[in-house]
Structures are given as C-alpha cells and as structure tokens.
Amino acid sequence: MKMNSTKQLMLENLEATPLAYGAIILNKEKFIQVLNEINALSNLFLLKNKIVSLKSIITSPKNDRNGLLNIDTNGDTISLRRDILISELNQILEAKTLERAKYYLKRLENGVQKVKTSKINDINLLRWKEYDEIITDSLWVLDKRDTSGAHFAWYWGNFIPQIPHQTLLRYTKKGDWVLDTFVGSGTTLIECRRLGRNGIGIELNSEVAQKAKCLVEKEYNRYKVTTEVAVGDSRTIEMRNILDKYEINQVQLLIMHPPYHNIIKFSNDKKDLSNAKSIEEFLKMLGEVVDNASPFLEKGRYFTLVIGDKYSKGEWIPLGFYCMNEVLKRGYLLKSIIVKNFEETRGKRNQKELWRYRALVGGFYIFKHEYIMLFKKK
Ligand SMILES: C[S@@+](CC[C@H](N)C(=O)[O-])C[C@H]1O[C@@H](n2cnc3c(N)ncnc32)[C@H](O)[C@@H]1O
C-alpha cells in the first residue's frame, strides 16, 4: 500500500479514540526527551532499568518525578492507550539484545512523534494496535444493533449502523464524500455525521426520504459536514447535478444496500428494485444503478455492497453472488466478501420453532447471514 509521507501528528484527524479505552495523557516533549535519553544508553541492563521506572510512572502516577504527567495548558500533549503503552514497554523489557530493545523503543517514539496514514483512511498505522474497534476478519457476528443517537431502527429492511460505521472508518478519510444509492432510513448519513464524512443518499420513496432527512438532522453535526437525501430513482437520477451542487466531481465511497429482490416489498412503484418481475430483471436494474453511480466514484476507492441470498420455490438462489457478478462486469476488483450474521427480527423470533420444523422437513437451512462485498474501482 502506498503511504502518505509521514507528517506531524494531528490527533483530531485520526480515528483512534484512546480515551474510551483508558488513556494516559503525557507531556509530549518530556516523554520524547525521556525516550531519547533511554535510547542513548549502551547497556541493556541500564536501559531496562529505565524502562521499569518509566513503566512505574505509567502504572502509578505518584512515581512521576520527571514531570511526564505535568500537562501545562500551552504544552503539547500525547494521549496513548495505557494498556498498549504498557505492553510496548513490556516488549522492550523482554528484548534479548540491546539492538532489539532499541528497535522497539524507536518504534514507540515514532508512534508518539509521527503519523502514517494510507490514501484511503485516517488510521494511524504507527499506532495500529489502538484500533481494536476496527474489524479485519471476514466473519462478523454482531450481537447488538447500535441504537444510540438518531439510530432508531424504525425502518424494516435497514442495515445495522455498524456496517456503514466500519466501512467509513476503513475506506474514507474525514471530509471525504460518500454516496448511498439506497439510503432508506438514512443509517449511512447518520454515521457520516458522526464520523465527519459528507454524505449523499438517494431514495425512491419520498415519504421514507422525508423521514430519513428529519432523523439525520437530529444527529449532532460535530464536524459540520454536508448530508443530503435526494429523492429519485438511482438508475436514472442525474448524479452530476447533485454533485455539482456541492462543487465536487467525485465521491470516495459508494454504498449500496438494495432490496434483496422481493424479500421485502418496499413500495408499489415499478421503479423499486423490490418489484422486479424476475431475478434477471432485478439484476438488470441493479446493474443500471451501478452504471449510473460508478463514473462518480474516484478511481482506487471502494464500493460496499450489502446483499443477501433468497429462497424461491424450494431452491436457494445465490442472489448475493449474482449481484457480485454484475458489479465485477463493470470495472471493479473484488477485495473481500464478509459474511455477517442476521439479527433476529421480533416477528421471526416468534416463528423460530415453525421455521426449524420447516427446515427439517424441507431439507434446507434457515438464513442466518448476509454479505458485505467490498470492491475497489480499477
Ligand atoms: C434495503 S433498503 C435500504 C435500507 C438502508 N440501508 C437503511 O439502513 O435504512 C432499500 C431501499 O432502496 C429503496 N429503493 C428501491 N428501489 C430504488 C431505486 N430504484 N432508487 C432508489 N432507491 C430505491 C427502497 O425504497 C428502500 O428504502
């Protein structure tokens, strides 16, 4: 991955939220000075002794005789996750050679002094251990929906906020633009506001769009980003006009969470993908949406497709993979297929026994998963 040049630490632009995990705030200048002094030692035993003293300050502030924890209001501070800092100091203590110990020490110093991010997100790779909120496995078992803030889960067929949350953190930077062509209740836009990304959502159903707008407005706009819900058919809406309004040429992330064909009927509108007469027609319609939006996605950036399979007449229809193929026909590289568990809706929970019986009789399995497919524009 090509990295941006290493630049000065700008905490407000980074994603780490160390305070939530138990942070220690240090006088940055003093801390670097202490690290430099330790690094200058040429005896492993002495070096480790100094690390032990440093560790005792981190674990017990009353041992601070160097002013490491003196935060003066005009001074530069650094906020680090205490548990990770301690584990890094332990790693130095476990080093078998002076050379190795100095390597770990230098790495710690770099993480304090510098920032290394990629072109597509604000994750500081020099402090990657602090981002345990970010999932990197392809199996997501999420037991609870995030219902905080404006996320009310009122819309049947919405996705859980963790989906846009994770993809925004991984594939966008603060200030980037996100386009969701099936915005529904506005989950993506609420997350955009939280994370400081601009968002455009398109929704066919004007009533749903209106409700989404009101809800999105309720979310505190800390980063003063733009979030817009446009009403229209994502196959034909003039994307250029929408983007021109904000004087942007392209977006940096595309999100699509279309109907899973006719599993949920969203309206009676013929333009609604949930009313496609056949799988073939559904795929054609989805392809048209992809064709309409793709020219406005920046090259090298990501497209998130959230989709599930379906049953029809006793047969498993791999709708997710059919949709994947539609996207792959259009100049994208497949980066990941994530399998995510389904939450049980209240209705389904009541029918659980019945479905189990049907599954045993019919020789099939009950759907418990959907896909989050990630593509990169070539
Ligand atoms: C699965 S839902 C998306 C839910 C959304 N992710 C959320 O969290 O609320 C699909 C949405 O696509 C909308 N839709 C269907 N056909 C469309 C089209 N041609 N253009 C735009 N939106 C469409 C439906 O009205 C529905 O709200």
Side-chain angles (χ1 to χ4, degrees), residues 155 157-160 180-188 202-205 208 232-235 257-260 266-267 271-274 285 289:
Y155 194 44
N158 61 5
F159 54 28
I160 68 168
D180 182 334
T181 58
F182 300 96
V183 83
S185 58
T187 316
T188 299
I202 301 165
E203 172 54 48
L204 184 67
N205 186 325
V208 172
D233 179 350
S234 284
R235 297 174 303 160
H257 181 212
Y260 300 176
F266 285 96
S267 67
K271 300 189 279 299
D272 184 330
L273 269 70
S274 67
M285 289 171 92
V289 179

PDB file of all heavy atoms in Angstrom, residues 155 157-160 180-188 202-205 208 232-235 257-260 266-267 271-274 285 289, ligand 1:
ATOM      1  N   TYR A 155     -37.058   1.423  10.508  1.00  0.00           N
ATOM      2  CA  TYR A 155     -37.338   1.045   9.119  1.00  0.00           C
ATOM      3  C   TYR A 155     -37.090  -0.439   8.909  1.00  0.00           C
ATOM      4  O   TYR A 155     -35.992  -0.942   9.150  1.00  0.00           O
ATOM      5  CB  TYR A 155     -36.416   1.868   8.208  1.00  0.00           C
ATOM      6  CG  TYR A 155     -36.791   1.851   6.752  1.00  0.00           C
ATOM      7  CD1 TYR A 155     -38.104   1.997   6.341  1.00  0.00           C
ATOM      8  CD2 TYR A 155     -35.811   1.708   5.767  1.00  0.00           C
ATOM      9  CE1 TYR A 155     -38.434   1.997   4.999  1.00  0.00           C
ATOM     10  CE2 TYR A 155     -36.133   1.718   4.418  1.00  0.00           C
ATOM     11  CZ  TYR A 155     -37.452   1.857   4.045  1.00  0.00           C
ATOM     12  OH  TYR A 155     -37.779   1.852   2.719  1.00  0.00           O
ATOM     13  N   GLY A 157     -35.998  -3.392   7.127  1.00  0.00           N
ATOM     14  CA  GLY A 157     -35.123  -3.576   5.968  1.00  0.00           C
ATOM     15  C   GLY A 157     -33.913  -2.662   6.016  1.00  0.00           C
ATOM     16  O   GLY A 157     -33.174  -2.562   5.047  1.00  0.00           O
ATOM     17  N   ASN A 158     -33.704  -1.989   7.136  1.00  0.00           N
ATOM     18  CA  ASN A 158     -32.492  -1.164   7.227  1.00  0.00           C
ATOM     19  C   ASN A 158     -31.287  -2.046   7.565  1.00  0.00           C
ATOM     20  O   ASN A 158     -31.454  -3.218   7.881  1.00  0.00           O
ATOM     21  CB  ASN A 158     -32.670  -0.059   8.278  1.00  0.00           C
ATOM     22  CG  ASN A 158     -32.911  -0.622   9.662  1.00  0.00           C
ATOM     23  OD1 ASN A 158     -32.853  -1.837   9.876  1.00  0.00           O
ATOM     24  ND2 ASN A 158     -33.201   0.231  10.598  1.00  0.00           N
ATOM     25  N   PHE A 159     -30.100  -1.484   7.479  1.00  0.00           N
ATOM     26  CA  PHE A 159     -28.956  -2.282   7.948  1.00  0.00           C
ATOM     27  C   PHE A 159     -28.464  -1.742   9.279  1.00  0.00           C
ATOM     28  O   PHE A 159     -28.818  -0.644   9.678  1.00  0.00           O
ATOM     29  CB  PHE A 159     -27.843  -2.459   6.920  1.00  0.00           C
ATOM     30  CG  PHE A 159     -27.231  -1.247   6.266  1.00  0.00           C
ATOM     31  CD1 PHE A 159     -27.182  -0.016   6.887  1.00  0.00           C
ATOM     32  CD2 PHE A 159     -26.639  -1.374   5.001  1.00  0.00           C
ATOM     33  CE1 PHE A 159     -26.586   1.072   6.269  1.00  0.00           C
ATOM     34  CE2 PHE A 159     -26.049  -0.295   4.370  1.00  0.00           C
ATOM     35  CZ  PHE A 159     -26.027   0.932   5.015  1.00  0.00           C
ATOM     36  N   ILE A 160     -27.675  -2.552   9.961  1.00  0.00           N
ATOM     37  CA  ILE A 160     -27.263  -2.093  11.276  1.00  0.00           C
ATOM     38  C   ILE A 160     -26.145  -1.060  11.089  1.00  0.00           C
ATOM     39  O   ILE A 160     -25.303  -1.166  10.186  1.00  0.00           O
ATOM     40  CB  ILE A 160     -26.873  -3.239  12.233  1.00  0.00           C
ATOM     41  CG1 ILE A 160     -25.614  -3.952  11.831  1.00  0.00           C
ATOM     42  CG2 ILE A 160     -27.986  -4.249  12.357  1.00  0.00           C
ATOM     43  CD1 ILE A 160     -25.127  -4.860  12.946  1.00  0.00           C
ATOM     44  N   ASP A 180     -24.710   6.868  -1.055  1.00  0.00           N
ATOM     45  CA  ASP A 180     -25.506   5.663  -0.791  1.00  0.00           C
ATOM     46  C   ASP A 180     -26.730   5.742  -1.693  1.00  0.00           C
ATOM     47  O   ASP A 180     -27.586   6.618  -1.534  1.00  0.00           O
ATOM     48  CB  ASP A 180     -25.908   5.629   0.694  1.00  0.00           C
ATOM     49  CG  ASP A 180     -26.696   4.362   1.053  1.00  0.00           C
ATOM     50  OD1 ASP A 180     -27.343   3.794   0.160  1.00  0.00           O
ATOM     51  OD2 ASP A 180     -26.657   3.968   2.236  1.00  0.00           O
ATOM     52  N   THR A 181     -26.832   4.827  -2.645  1.00  0.00           N
ATOM     53  CA  THR A 181     -27.900   4.921  -3.645  1.00  0.00           C
ATOM     54  C   THR A 181     -29.227   4.287  -3.205  1.00  0.00           C
ATOM     55  O   THR A 181     -30.203   4.345  -3.948  1.00  0.00           O
ATOM     56  CB  THR A 181     -27.460   4.244  -4.958  1.00  0.00           C
ATOM     57  OG1 THR A 181     -27.128   2.890  -4.649  1.00  0.00           O
ATOM     58  CG2 THR A 181     -26.272   4.932  -5.589  1.00  0.00           C
ATOM     59  N   PHE A 182     -29.231   3.650  -2.042  1.00  0.00           N
ATOM     60  CA  PHE A 182     -30.487   3.089  -1.497  1.00  0.00           C
ATOM     61  C   PHE A 182     -30.535   3.490  -0.023  1.00  0.00           C
ATOM     62  O   PHE A 182     -30.438   2.638   0.863  1.00  0.00           O
ATOM     63  CB  PHE A 182     -30.496   1.554  -1.623  1.00  0.00           C
ATOM     64  CG  PHE A 182     -30.379   1.051  -3.034  1.00  0.00           C
ATOM     65  CD1 PHE A 182     -29.144   0.686  -3.562  1.00  0.00           C
ATOM     66  CD2 PHE A 182     -31.513   0.923  -3.837  1.00  0.00           C
ATOM     67  CE1 PHE A 182     -29.030   0.210  -4.865  1.00  0.00           C
ATOM     68  CE2 PHE A 182     -31.410   0.450  -5.145  1.00  0.00           C
ATOM     69  CZ  PHE A 182     -30.168   0.094  -5.668  1.00  0.00           C
ATOM     70  N   VAL A 183     -30.689   4.759   0.222  1.00  0.00           N
ATOM     71  CA  VAL A 183     -30.382   5.254   1.574  1.00  0.00           C
ATOM     72  C   VAL A 183     -31.440   4.913   2.614  1.00  0.00           C
ATOM     73  O   VAL A 183     -31.163   4.920   3.808  1.00  0.00           O
ATOM     74  CB  VAL A 183     -30.056   6.763   1.540  1.00  0.00           C
ATOM     75  CG1 VAL A 183     -31.310   7.621   1.547  1.00  0.00           C
ATOM     76  CG2 VAL A 183     -29.149   7.133   2.695  1.00  0.00           C
ATOM     77  N   GLY A 184     -32.669   4.597   2.175  1.00  0.00           N
ATOM     78  CA  GLY A 184     -33.716   4.172   3.119  1.00  0.00           C
ATOM     79  C   GLY A 184     -33.865   5.137   4.270  1.00  0.00           C
ATOM     80  O   GLY A 184     -34.131   6.329   4.082  1.00  0.00           O
ATOM     81  N   SER A 185     -33.661   4.634   5.482  1.00  0.00           N
ATOM     82  CA  SER A 185     -33.887   5.456   6.680  1.00  0.00           C
ATOM     83  C   SER A 185     -32.694   6.347   7.029  1.00  0.00           C
ATOM     84  O   SER A 185     -32.709   7.003   8.070  1.00  0.00           O
ATOM     85  CB  SER A 185     -34.215   4.545   7.856  1.00  0.00           C
ATOM     86  OG  SER A 185     -33.155   3.630   8.056  1.00  0.00           O
ATOM     87  N   GLY A 186     -31.649   6.329   6.219  1.00  0.00           N
ATOM     88  CA  GLY A 186     -30.541   7.275   6.419  1.00  0.00           C
ATOM     89  C   GLY A 186     -29.427   6.803   7.337  1.00  0.00           C
ATOM     90  O   GLY A 186     -28.615   7.615   7.782  1.00  0.00           O
ATOM     91  N   THR A 187     -29.365   5.500   7.592  1.00  0.00           N
ATOM     92  CA  THR A 187     -28.334   4.972   8.511  1.00  0.00           C
ATOM     93  C   THR A 187     -26.929   5.442   8.109  1.00  0.00           C
ATOM     94  O   THR A 187     -26.148   5.884   8.953  1.00  0.00           O
ATOM     95  CB  THR A 187     -28.376   3.418   8.514  1.00  0.00           C
ATOM     96  OG1 THR A 187     -29.740   3.003   8.572  1.00  0.00           O
ATOM     97  CG2 THR A 187     -27.612   2.850   9.683  1.00  0.00           C
ATOM     98  N   THR A 188     -26.629   5.363   6.821  1.00  0.00           N
ATOM     99  CA  THR A 188     -25.296   5.763   6.350  1.00  0.00           C
ATOM    100  C   THR A 188     -25.036   7.239   6.655  1.00  0.00           C
ATOM    101  O   THR A 188     -23.936   7.608   7.081  1.00  0.00           O
ATOM    102  CB  THR A 188     -25.188   5.520   4.824  1.00  0.00           C
ATOM    103  OG1 THR A 188     -25.365   4.125   4.584  1.00  0.00           O
ATOM    104  CG2 THR A 188     -23.850   5.973   4.259  1.00  0.00           C
ATOM    105  N   ILE A 202     -29.646   8.573  -1.830  1.00  0.00           N
ATOM    106  CA  ILE A 202     -30.753   8.643  -2.791  1.00  0.00           C
ATOM    107  C   ILE A 202     -31.801   7.620  -2.369  1.00  0.00           C
ATOM    108  O   ILE A 202     -31.458   6.481  -2.008  1.00  0.00           O
ATOM    109  CB  ILE A 202     -30.252   8.383  -4.224  1.00  0.00           C
ATOM    110  CG1 ILE A 202     -29.196   9.441  -4.573  1.00  0.00           C
ATOM    111  CG2 ILE A 202     -31.404   8.429  -5.226  1.00  0.00           C
ATOM    112  CD1 ILE A 202     -28.382   9.112  -5.787  1.00  0.00           C
ATOM    113  N   GLU A 203     -33.045   8.049  -2.407  1.00  0.00           N
ATOM    114  CA  GLU A 203     -34.132   7.152  -2.003  1.00  0.00           C
ATOM    115  C   GLU A 203     -35.325   7.391  -2.925  1.00  0.00           C
ATOM    116  O   GLU A 203     -35.694   8.529  -3.188  1.00  0.00           O
ATOM    117  CB  GLU A 203     -34.481   7.413  -0.528  1.00  0.00           C
ATOM    118  CG  GLU A 203     -35.712   6.718   0.003  1.00  0.00           C
ATOM    119  CD  GLU A 203     -35.727   5.205  -0.188  1.00  0.00           C
ATOM    120  OE1 GLU A 203     -34.733   4.528   0.122  1.00  0.00           O
ATOM    121  OE2 GLU A 203     -36.754   4.683  -0.678  1.00  0.00           O
ATOM    122  N   LEU A 204     -35.902   6.298  -3.403  1.00  0.00           N
ATOM    123  CA  LEU A 204     -37.015   6.376  -4.349  1.00  0.00           C
ATOM    124  C   LEU A 204     -38.306   6.844  -3.666  1.00  0.00           C
ATOM    125  O   LEU A 204     -39.067   7.638  -4.220  1.00  0.00           O
ATOM    126  CB  LEU A 204     -37.230   4.974  -4.957  1.00  0.00           C
ATOM    127  CG  LEU A 204     -38.278   4.846  -6.035  1.00  0.00           C
ATOM    128  CD1 LEU A 204     -37.868   5.603  -7.290  1.00  0.00           C
ATOM    129  CD2 LEU A 204     -38.516   3.378  -6.382  1.00  0.00           C
ATOM    130  N   ASN A 205     -38.529   6.349  -2.468  1.00  0.00           N
ATOM    131  CA  ASN A 205     -39.783   6.609  -1.774  1.00  0.00           C
ATOM    132  C   ASN A 205     -39.703   7.949  -1.029  1.00  0.00           C
ATOM    133  O   ASN A 205     -38.936   8.095  -0.080  1.00  0.00           O
ATOM    134  CB  ASN A 205     -40.008   5.444  -0.793  1.00  0.00           C
ATOM    135  CG  ASN A 205     -41.342   5.507  -0.116  1.00  0.00           C
ATOM    136  OD1 ASN A 205     -41.848   6.585   0.174  1.00  0.00           O
ATOM    137  ND2 ASN A 205     -41.899   4.348   0.156  1.00  0.00           N
ATOM    138  N   VAL A 208     -40.318   7.973   2.798  1.00  0.00           N
ATOM    139  CA  VAL A 208     -39.194   7.401   3.551  1.00  0.00           C
ATOM    140  C   VAL A 208     -38.049   8.414   3.567  1.00  0.00           C
ATOM    141  O   VAL A 208     -37.421   8.660   4.606  1.00  0.00           O
ATOM    142  CB  VAL A 208     -38.745   6.056   2.919  1.00  0.00           C
ATOM    143  CG1 VAL A 208     -37.475   5.539   3.562  1.00  0.00           C
ATOM    144  CG2 VAL A 208     -39.857   5.022   3.035  1.00  0.00           C
ATOM    145  N   GLY A 232     -35.336  10.095  -5.672  1.00  0.00           N
ATOM    146  CA  GLY A 232     -35.266   9.745  -7.089  1.00  0.00           C
ATOM    147  C   GLY A 232     -34.934   8.287  -7.308  1.00  0.00           C
ATOM    148  O   GLY A 232     -34.709   7.526  -6.351  1.00  0.00           O
ATOM    149  N   ASP A 233     -34.916   7.922  -8.597  1.00  0.00           N
ATOM    150  CA  ASP A 233     -34.592   6.561  -8.998  1.00  0.00           C
ATOM    151  C   ASP A 233     -33.076   6.513  -9.240  1.00  0.00           C
ATOM    152  O   ASP A 233     -32.571   7.211 -10.125  1.00  0.00           O
ATOM    153  CB  ASP A 233     -35.371   6.248 -10.292  1.00  0.00           C
ATOM    154  CG  ASP A 233     -35.099   4.847 -10.815  1.00  0.00           C
ATOM    155  OD1 ASP A 233     -34.171   4.178 -10.309  1.00  0.00           O
ATOM    156  OD2 ASP A 233     -35.826   4.427 -11.748  1.00  0.00           O
ATOM    157  N   SER A 234     -32.382   5.719  -8.471  1.00  0.00           N
ATOM    158  CA  SER A 234     -30.914   5.705  -8.567  1.00  0.00           C
ATOM    159  C   SER A 234     -30.407   5.199  -9.920  1.00  0.00           C
ATOM    160  O   SER A 234     -29.236   5.371 -10.232  1.00  0.00           O
ATOM    161  CB  SER A 234     -30.333   4.829  -7.459  1.00  0.00           C
ATOM    162  OG  SER A 234     -30.400   5.530  -6.261  1.00  0.00           O
ATOM    163  N   ARG A 235     -31.291   4.621 -10.734  1.00  0.00           N
ATOM    164  CA  ARG A 235     -30.855   4.156 -12.063  1.00  0.00           C
ATOM    165  C   ARG A 235     -30.708   5.335 -13.009  1.00  0.00           C
ATOM    166  O   ARG A 235     -29.905   5.306 -13.943  1.00  0.00           O
ATOM    167  CB  ARG A 235     -31.878   3.175 -12.648  1.00  0.00           C
ATOM    168  CG  ARG A 235     -32.032   1.914 -11.838  1.00  0.00           C
ATOM    169  CD  ARG A 235     -33.150   1.077 -12.384  1.00  0.00           C
ATOM    170  NE  ARG A 235     -34.411   1.813 -12.415  1.00  0.00           N
ATOM    171  CZ  ARG A 235     -35.452   1.501 -13.170  1.00  0.00           C
ATOM    172  NH1 ARG A 235     -35.393   0.478 -13.991  1.00  0.00           N
ATOM    173  NH2 ARG A 235     -36.556   2.209 -13.121  1.00  0.00           N
ATOM    174  N   HIS A 257     -27.165  -0.778  -0.577  1.00  0.00           N
ATOM    175  CA  HIS A 257     -27.898  -1.805   0.171  1.00  0.00           C
ATOM    176  C   HIS A 257     -29.267  -1.925  -0.492  1.00  0.00           C
ATOM    177  O   HIS A 257     -30.262  -1.367  -0.012  1.00  0.00           O
ATOM    178  CB  HIS A 257     -28.013  -1.368   1.643  1.00  0.00           C
ATOM    179  CG  HIS A 257     -28.726  -2.351   2.499  1.00  0.00           C
ATOM    180  ND1 HIS A 257     -29.501  -1.965   3.584  1.00  0.00           N
ATOM    181  CD2 HIS A 257     -28.776  -3.705   2.468  1.00  0.00           C
ATOM    182  CE1 HIS A 257     -30.006  -3.037   4.159  1.00  0.00           C
ATOM    183  NE2 HIS A 257     -29.580  -4.103   3.509  1.00  0.00           N
ATOM    184  N   PRO A 258     -29.301  -2.609  -1.631  1.00  0.00           N
ATOM    185  CA  PRO A 258     -30.555  -2.680  -2.385  1.00  0.00           C
ATOM    186  C   PRO A 258     -31.535  -3.641  -1.703  1.00  0.00           C
ATOM    187  O   PRO A 258     -31.141  -4.402  -0.815  1.00  0.00           O
ATOM    188  CB  PRO A 258     -30.104  -3.257  -3.733  1.00  0.00           C
ATOM    189  CG  PRO A 258     -28.878  -4.037  -3.429  1.00  0.00           C
ATOM    190  CD  PRO A 258     -28.207  -3.360  -2.263  1.00  0.00           C
ATOM    191  N   PRO A 259     -32.795  -3.617  -2.135  1.00  0.00           N
ATOM    192  CA  PRO A 259     -33.700  -4.675  -1.674  1.00  0.00           C
ATOM    193  C   PRO A 259     -33.091  -6.027  -2.067  1.00  0.00           C
ATOM    194  O   PRO A 259     -32.390  -6.112  -3.086  1.00  0.00           O
ATOM    195  CB  PRO A 259     -34.973  -4.408  -2.483  1.00  0.00           C
ATOM    196  CG  PRO A 259     -34.888  -2.977  -2.912  1.00  0.00           C
ATOM    197  CD  PRO A 259     -33.437  -2.688  -3.084  1.00  0.00           C
ATOM    198  N   TYR A 260     -33.355  -7.044  -1.263  1.00  0.00           N
ATOM    199  CA  TYR A 260     -32.879  -8.392  -1.638  1.00  0.00           C
ATOM    200  C   TYR A 260     -33.976  -8.985  -2.538  1.00  0.00           C
ATOM    201  O   TYR A 260     -34.726  -9.852  -2.120  1.00  0.00           O
ATOM    202  CB  TYR A 260     -32.645  -9.260  -0.392  1.00  0.00           C
ATOM    203  CG  TYR A 260     -31.619  -8.699   0.584  1.00  0.00           C
ATOM    204  CD1 TYR A 260     -31.374  -9.335   1.791  1.00  0.00           C
ATOM    205  CD2 TYR A 260     -30.898  -7.543   0.294  1.00  0.00           C
ATOM    206  CE1 TYR A 260     -30.440  -8.824   2.690  1.00  0.00           C
ATOM    207  CE2 TYR A 260     -29.974  -7.025   1.189  1.00  0.00           C
ATOM    208  CZ  TYR A 260     -29.754  -7.663   2.380  1.00  0.00           C
ATOM    209  OH  TYR A 260     -28.834  -7.152   3.283  1.00  0.00           O
ATOM    210  N   PHE A 266     -40.853  -2.910  -0.789  1.00  0.00           N
ATOM    211  CA  PHE A 266     -40.714  -1.578  -0.193  1.00  0.00           C
ATOM    212  C   PHE A 266     -41.796  -0.596  -0.641  1.00  0.00           C
ATOM    213  O   PHE A 266     -42.061   0.383   0.025  1.00  0.00           O
ATOM    214  CB  PHE A 266     -39.321  -1.004  -0.484  1.00  0.00           C
ATOM    215  CG  PHE A 266     -38.253  -1.641   0.368  1.00  0.00           C
ATOM    216  CD1 PHE A 266     -37.496  -2.693  -0.117  1.00  0.00           C
ATOM    217  CD2 PHE A 266     -38.037  -1.203   1.669  1.00  0.00           C
ATOM    218  CE1 PHE A 266     -36.521  -3.295   0.671  1.00  0.00           C
ATOM    219  CE2 PHE A 266     -37.070  -1.801   2.465  1.00  0.00           C
ATOM    220  CZ  PHE A 266     -36.318  -2.842   1.968  1.00  0.00           C
ATOM    221  N   SER A 267     -42.372  -0.848  -1.831  1.00  0.00           N
ATOM    222  CA  SER A 267     -43.430   0.057  -2.311  1.00  0.00           C
ATOM    223  C   SER A 267     -44.149  -0.621  -3.469  1.00  0.00           C
ATOM    224  O   SER A 267     -43.845  -1.771  -3.825  1.00  0.00           O
ATOM    225  CB  SER A 267     -42.805   1.367  -2.817  1.00  0.00           C
ATOM    226  OG  SER A 267     -42.041   1.101  -3.996  1.00  0.00           O
ATOM    227  N   LYS A 271     -40.438   1.290 -10.341  1.00  0.00           N
ATOM    228  CA  LYS A 271     -39.008   1.621 -10.385  1.00  0.00           C
ATOM    229  C   LYS A 271     -38.262   1.053  -9.174  1.00  0.00           C
ATOM    230  O   LYS A 271     -37.040   1.088  -9.113  1.00  0.00           O
ATOM    231  CB  LYS A 271     -38.835   3.152 -10.431  1.00  0.00           C
ATOM    232  CG  LYS A 271     -39.505   3.791 -11.651  1.00  0.00           C
ATOM    233  CD  LYS A 271     -39.143   5.235 -11.803  1.00  0.00           C
ATOM    234  CE  LYS A 271     -39.884   6.209 -10.968  1.00  0.00           C
ATOM    235  NZ  LYS A 271     -41.287   6.408 -11.033  1.00  0.00           N
ATOM    236  N   ASP A 272     -39.020   0.553  -8.217  1.00  0.00           N
ATOM    237  CA  ASP A 272     -38.446  -0.021  -6.991  1.00  0.00           C
ATOM    238  C   ASP A 272     -37.876  -1.407  -7.314  1.00  0.00           C
ATOM    239  O   ASP A 272     -38.586  -2.264  -7.872  1.00  0.00           O
ATOM    240  CB  ASP A 272     -39.576  -0.112  -5.948  1.00  0.00           C
ATOM    241  CG  ASP A 272     -39.118  -0.600  -4.594  1.00  0.00           C
ATOM    242  OD1 ASP A 272     -38.147  -1.381  -4.527  1.00  0.00           O
ATOM    243  OD2 ASP A 272     -39.754  -0.207  -3.603  1.00  0.00           O
ATOM    244  N   LEU A 273     -36.632  -1.634  -6.965  1.00  0.00           N
ATOM    245  CA  LEU A 273     -35.991  -2.921  -7.282  1.00  0.00           C
ATOM    246  C   LEU A 273     -36.708  -4.104  -6.627  1.00  0.00           C
ATOM    247  O   LEU A 273     -36.604  -5.234  -7.105  1.00  0.00           O
ATOM    248  CB  LEU A 273     -34.505  -2.922  -6.851  1.00  0.00           C
ATOM    249  CG  LEU A 273     -33.520  -2.452  -7.927  1.00  0.00           C
ATOM    250  CD1 LEU A 273     -33.650  -0.969  -8.185  1.00  0.00           C
ATOM    251  CD2 LEU A 273     -32.078  -2.783  -7.548  1.00  0.00           C
ATOM    252  N   SER A 274     -37.443  -3.823  -5.552  1.00  0.00           N
ATOM    253  CA  SER A 274     -38.134  -4.937  -4.900  1.00  0.00           C
ATOM    254  C   SER A 274     -39.348  -5.396  -5.716  1.00  0.00           C
ATOM    255  O   SER A 274     -39.959  -6.403  -5.408  1.00  0.00           O
ATOM    256  CB  SER A 274     -38.547  -4.566  -3.475  1.00  0.00           C
ATOM    257  OG  SER A 274     -39.537  -3.574  -3.468  1.00  0.00           O
ATOM    258  N   MET A 285     -31.693  -4.128 -13.205  1.00  0.00           N
ATOM    259  CA  MET A 285     -31.944  -2.845 -12.526  1.00  0.00           C
ATOM    260  C   MET A 285     -30.755  -2.473 -11.634  1.00  0.00           C
ATOM    261  O   MET A 285     -30.319  -1.319 -11.608  1.00  0.00           O
ATOM    262  CB  MET A 285     -33.234  -2.920 -11.693  1.00  0.00           C
ATOM    263  CG  MET A 285     -34.486  -2.972 -12.532  1.00  0.00           C
ATOM    264  SD  MET A 285     -35.955  -3.327 -11.545  1.00  0.00           S
ATOM    265  CE  MET A 285     -36.533  -1.685 -11.143  1.00  0.00           C
ATOM    266  N   VAL A 289     -28.129   0.843 -11.750  1.00  0.00           N
ATOM    267  CA  VAL A 289     -27.744   1.737 -10.642  1.00  0.00           C
ATOM    268  C   VAL A 289     -26.212   1.822 -10.572  1.00  0.00           C
ATOM    269  O   VAL A 289     -25.635   2.909 -10.439  1.00  0.00           O
ATOM    270  CB  VAL A 289     -28.334   1.245  -9.290  1.00  0.00           C
ATOM    271  CG1 VAL A 289     -27.896   2.166  -8.152  1.00  0.00           C
ATOM    272  CG2 VAL A 289     -29.852   1.170  -9.354  1.00  0.00           C
TER     273      VAL A 289
HETATM  274  C1  LIG B   1     -32.669  -2.414   1.887  1.00  0.00           C
HETATM  275  S1  LIG B   1     -33.337  -0.813   1.893  1.00  0.00           S
HETATM  276  C2  LIG B   1     -32.000   0.208   2.381  1.00  0.00           C
HETATM  277  C3  LIG B   1     -32.005   0.469   3.850  1.00  0.00           C
HETATM  278  C4  LIG B   1     -30.925   1.399   4.342  1.00  0.00           C
HETATM  279  N1  LIG B   1     -29.615   0.826   4.247  1.00  0.00           N
HETATM  280  C5  LIG B   1     -31.196   1.764   5.797  1.00  0.00           C
HETATM  281  O1  LIG B   1     -30.364   1.493   6.676  1.00  0.00           O
HETATM  282  O2  LIG B   1     -32.284   2.275   6.066  1.00  0.00           O
HETATM  283  C6  LIG B   1     -33.501  -0.489   0.175  1.00  0.00           C
HETATM  284  C7  LIG B   1     -34.095   0.873  -0.136  1.00  0.00           C
HETATM  285  O3  LIG B   1     -33.957   1.086  -1.540  1.00  0.00           O
HETATM  286  C8  LIG B   1     -35.061   1.864  -1.982  1.00  0.00           C
HETATM  287  N2  LIG B   1     -35.146   1.695  -3.447  1.00  0.00           N
HETATM  288  C9  LIG B   1     -35.656   0.677  -4.164  1.00  0.00           C
HETATM  289  N3  LIG B   1     -35.515   0.899  -5.480  1.00  0.00           N
HETATM  290  C10 LIG B   1     -34.862   2.077  -5.612  1.00  0.00           C
HETATM  291  C11 LIG B   1     -34.431   2.844  -6.725  1.00  0.00           C
HETATM  292  N4  LIG B   1     -34.649   2.447  -7.988  1.00  0.00           N
HETATM  293  N5  LIG B   1     -33.783   4.006  -6.478  1.00  0.00           N
HETATM  294  C12 LIG B   1     -33.587   4.445  -5.226  1.00  0.00           C
HETATM  295  N6  LIG B   1     -33.982   3.780  -4.133  1.00  0.00           N
HETATM  296  C13 LIG B   1     -34.623   2.599  -4.315  1.00  0.00           C
HETATM  297  C14 LIG B   1     -36.217   1.305  -1.189  1.00  0.00           C
HETATM  298  O4  LIG B   1     -37.285   2.227  -1.110  1.00  0.00           O
HETATM  299  C15 LIG B   1     -35.564   1.036   0.174  1.00  0.00           C
HETATM  300  O5  LIG B   1     -35.742   2.117   1.041  1.00  0.00           O
END
